[in-house]
Amino acid sequence: GDSVTQMEGPVTLSEEAFLTINCTYTATGYPSLFWYVQYPGEGLQLLLKATKADDKGSNKGFEATYRKETTSFHLEKGSVQVSDSAVYFCALRAGGSEKLVFGKGMKLTVNP
Amino acid sequence: GAGVSQTPSNKVTEKGKYVELRCDPISGHTALYWYRQSLGQGPEFLIYFQGTGAADDSGLPNDRFFAVRPEGSVSTLKIQRTERGDSAVYLCASSVDPTGELFFGEGSRLTVL
């Protein structure tokens, strides 16, 4: 079945450090790929998405590129801030399906 | 507010009891989803409604779990004869249509003692 494997944390970084969170997927067909973020005390929010191969999603300084050849959708940010402290989830939605399949999530803490 | 609202935010119950969790989606959103998030795991799909009907209930773990959305707006997730393994955060999400962005509520944390 469809699945998502992502880096597990927790991870602690200093402010302005570079961030990469790895995500790989297994799916039939051509899924849409997503990164969701959950800030402390809040619900899950869509951070960015990509719907086809080589698409790049970007938002709030975060980027991820849909790589079909490596079945990956790694999340990157060049300079993290304290306000980026949250749990990050990679997810996919297979073609023809309405349901999201999530990875386990990675907790990021950014210290000043 | 205009977001997805879930009640109660916390529910503690005893093994064997019946529980109802409520979701009030964003007004006008026709698609509604329930997910379950166990400790240390990502959300897992339970059921999806399009309007009043359950379009996909393949994620419901067994027949103790049931969900309704009688008027195409508010939804209730019902759990009978709760077990300790049902302890989790139950998330509700809604979207304008099945292809749209999902907006999640803050979840209902269920603890079964």
Side-chain angles (χ1 to χ4, degrees), chain A residues 49-61:
Chain A
K49 68 178 184 181
T51 58
K52 61 183 189 295
D54 300 324
D55 267 2
K56 178 186 283 188
S58 61
N59 186 23
K60 298 183 180 181

Side-chain angles (χ1 to χ4, degrees), chain A residues 8 34 36 38 41-47 49 87 89 93 97-105, chain B residues 33 35 37 40-45 48 55-56 58-59 91 98-106:
Chain A
E8 295 183 33
F34 306 83
Y36 278 81
Q38 187 169 31
E42 299 184 16
L44 277 166
Q45 304 174 21
L46 178 64
L47 180 60
K49 68 178 184 181
V87 182
F89 294 90
R93 183 165 61 199
S97 172
E98 293 78 25
K99 57 187 169 189
L100 290 170
V101 175
F102 287 87
K104 290 186 175 182
Chain B
Y33 307 77
Y35 286 80
Q37 187 173 12
Q41 303 295 316
E44 293 179 306
F45 171 80
Y48 153 63
D56 184 350
S58 61
L91 300 172
T99 63
E101 177 181 345
L102 267 64
F103 292 85
F104 282 83
E106 292 184 30

Side-chain angles (χ1 to χ4, degrees), chain B residues 3-46:
Chain B
V4 177
S5 176
Q6 292 188 246
T7 54
S9 55
N10 275 288
K11 175 71 177 179
V12 180
T13 191
E14 293 180 343
K15 182 174 178 295
K17 299 290 189 183
Y18 170 82
V19 165
E20 288 190 352
L21 306 175
R22 175 189 167 109
C23 173
D24 205 336
I26 293 172
S27 178
H29 281 193
T30 62
L32 185 146
Y33 307 77
W34 284 98
Y35 286 80
R36 178 169 72 173
Q37 187 173 12
S38 300
L39 192 63
Q41 303 295 316
E44 293 179 306
F45 171 80
L46 294 176

Side-chain angles (χ1 to χ4, degrees), chain B residues 16-89:
Chain B
K17 299 290 189 183
Y18 170 82
V19 165
E20 288 190 352
L21 306 175
R22 175 189 167 109
C23 173
D24 205 336
I26 293 172
S27 178
H29 281 193
T30 62
L32 185 146
Y33 307 77
W34 284 98
Y35 286 80
R36 178 169 72 173
Q37 187 173 12
S38 300
L39 192 63
Q41 303 295 316
E44 293 179 306
F45 171 80
L46 294 176
I47 187 169
Y48 153 63
F49 287 89
Q50 180 57 39
T52 59
D56 184 350
D57 64 358
S58 61
L60 294 177
N62 52 59
D63 61 6
R64 295 187 298 106
F65 288 75
F66 190 69
V68 295
R69 195 186 185 198
E71 298 177 357
S73 177
V74 171
S75 176
T76 305
L77 178 65
K78 308 181 181 197
I79 311 173
Q80 298 178 320
R81 305 183 303 279
T82 52
E83 299 178 357
R84 292 195 180 88
D86 298 336
S87 297
V89 176

Side-chain angles (χ1 to χ4, degrees), chain A residues 27-103:
Chain A
T28 53
Y30 302 99
S32 295
L33 302 174
F34 306 83
W35 277 99
Y36 278 81
V37 59
Q38 187 169 31
Y39 299 105
E42 299 184 16
L44 277 166
Q45 304 174 21
L46 178 64
L47 180 60
L48 54 83
K49 68 178 184 181
T51 58
K52 61 183 189 295
D54 300 324
D55 267 2
K56 178 186 283 188
S58 61
N59 186 23
K60 298 183 180 181
F62 290 88
E63 292 184 341
T65 300
Y66 189 141
R67 299 286 187 203
K68 181 170 172 290
E69 62 276 14
T70 54
T71 61
S72 65
F73 193 54
H74 304 322
L75 182 69
E76 296 183 336
K77 186 172 186 180
S79 176
V80 293
Q81 306 300 311
V82 172
S83 57
D84 294 326
S85 297
V87 182
Y88 293 82
F89 294 90
C90 185
L92 69 82
R93 183 165 61 199
S97 172
E98 293 78 25
K99 57 187 169 189
L100 290 170
V101 175
F102 287 87

